[in-house]
């Protein structure tokens, strides 16, 4: 059973600090990795995707991928109260199936 | 603006009473998906269509059916809803298969079963 694991949280971070969200996956053949944000009662919204080892930056968001360790993370710099949401990690495995994590709830405290 | 639209946003039905949820898209994407998501859980894929090719997930109950009459529309039919079917139902689309495809979600339909 291919799995994507996330700490359910909640992760509490002070406003202005860096929030670090982590995700591990079991299928070593996975090729692409996605971070979605989901506000309570709303649908998931794509934040970033990453395919290559290393860092990818988009504004306040940085995705980090380490395929050797089967680990992908999302950093949010200068965290704002509006960043409070559940962050879902999704991994496209070697069979092109999208495997979802259950999400990490992030709370940014003013 | 190109988008994924779901109707209704909220649906209340009675135990065993059939219900149909709809999804439409103006993105002209080839692939459409139906997910079920319960509170604090990962989205669970029920079906997807690549064009008209229907793909049923192995563990999707027979109580759930889907139709895609054309590129723009897709329907989810729940033939005899049970209390355990209360959830958010998410429709998503993507351009086509491949590593770099991303999925774009509609706003969801929250189903309540009484």
């Amino acid at each position: 059973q291919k799995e994507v694991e996330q700490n359910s949280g909640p992760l509490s971070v002070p406003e202005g600090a860096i929030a670090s969200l982590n995700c591990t996956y079991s299928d070593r053949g996975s090729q692409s990795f996605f971070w979605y944000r989901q506000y309570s009662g709303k649908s998931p919204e794509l934040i970033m995707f990453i395919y290559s080892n290393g860092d990818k930056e988009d504004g306040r968001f940085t995705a980090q991928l380490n395929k050797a360790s089967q680990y992908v993370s999302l950093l949010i710099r200068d965290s704002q109260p509006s960043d409070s949401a559940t962050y879902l990690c999704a991994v496209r495995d070697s069979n092109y199936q999208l495997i979802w994590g259950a999400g990490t709830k992030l709370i940014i405290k003013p | 603006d190109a988008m994924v639209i779901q109707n209704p946003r909220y649906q209340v039905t009675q135990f065993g009473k059939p219900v149909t949820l709809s999804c439409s898209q103006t993105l002209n994407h080839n692939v459409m998906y139906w997910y079920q998501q319960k509170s604090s859980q990962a989205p669970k894929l029920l079906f997807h269509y690549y064009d008209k090719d229907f793909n049923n997930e192995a563990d999707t109950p027979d109580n759930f059916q889907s139709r895609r009459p054309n590129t723009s529309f897709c329907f989810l039919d729940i033939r005899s809803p049970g209390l355990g079917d209360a959830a958010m139902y998410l429709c998503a689309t993507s351009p086509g298969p491949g590593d770099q495809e991303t999925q774009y979600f509609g706003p969801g339909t929250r189903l309540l079963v009484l």
Side-chain angles (χ1 to χ4, degrees), chain A residues 5-74:
Chain A
E5 300 285 346
Q6 296 181 258
N7 189 318
S8 62
L11 173 66
S12 184
V13 173
E15 183 177 358
I18 296 175
S20 177
L21 304 161
N22 304 316
C23 174
T24 59
Y25 58 95
S26 62
D27 182 4
R28 186 170 289 277
S30 298
Q31 294 297 321
S32 44
F33 308 85
F34 305 85
W35 282 101
Y36 284 81
R37 177 176 63 199
Q38 187 172 28
Y39 292 114
S40 181
K42 305 295 185 182
S43 62
E45 171 192 10
L46 181 69
I47 297 294
M48 290 189 71
F49 55 83
I50 186 167
Y51 310 121
S52 303
N53 273 330
D55 295 359
K56 179 181 179 182
E57 187 175 318
D58 184 1
R60 295 187 297 113
F61 299 95
T62 299
Q64 299 176 319
L65 176 61
N66 184 326
K67 288 186 177 180
S69 300
Q70 295 174 237
Y71 176 97
V72 58
S73 64
L74 179 70

Side-chain angles (χ1 to χ4, degrees), chain A residues 31-32 34 36 38 41-46 49 51 88 92-93 96-98 100-103, chain B residues 9 35 37 40-43 45 57 88 90 98-108 110:
Chain A
Q31 294 297 321
S32 44
F34 305 85
Y36 284 81
Q38 187 172 28
K42 305 295 185 182
S43 62
E45 171 192 10
L46 181 69
F49 55 83
Y51 310 121
L88 299 168
R92 187 166 306 284
D93 70 12
Y96 292 97
Q97 302 299 309
L98 195 63
W100 291 82
Chain B
R9 296 292 307 278
Y35 286 91
Q37 188 180 27
S40 301
Q41 295 185 18
L45 184 63
E57 294 304 299
M88 174 78 90
L90 298 163
D99 282 347
Q100 299 190 10
E101 65 157 321
T102 56
Q103 294 185 12
Y104 300 90
F105 285 85
R110 183 163 296 282

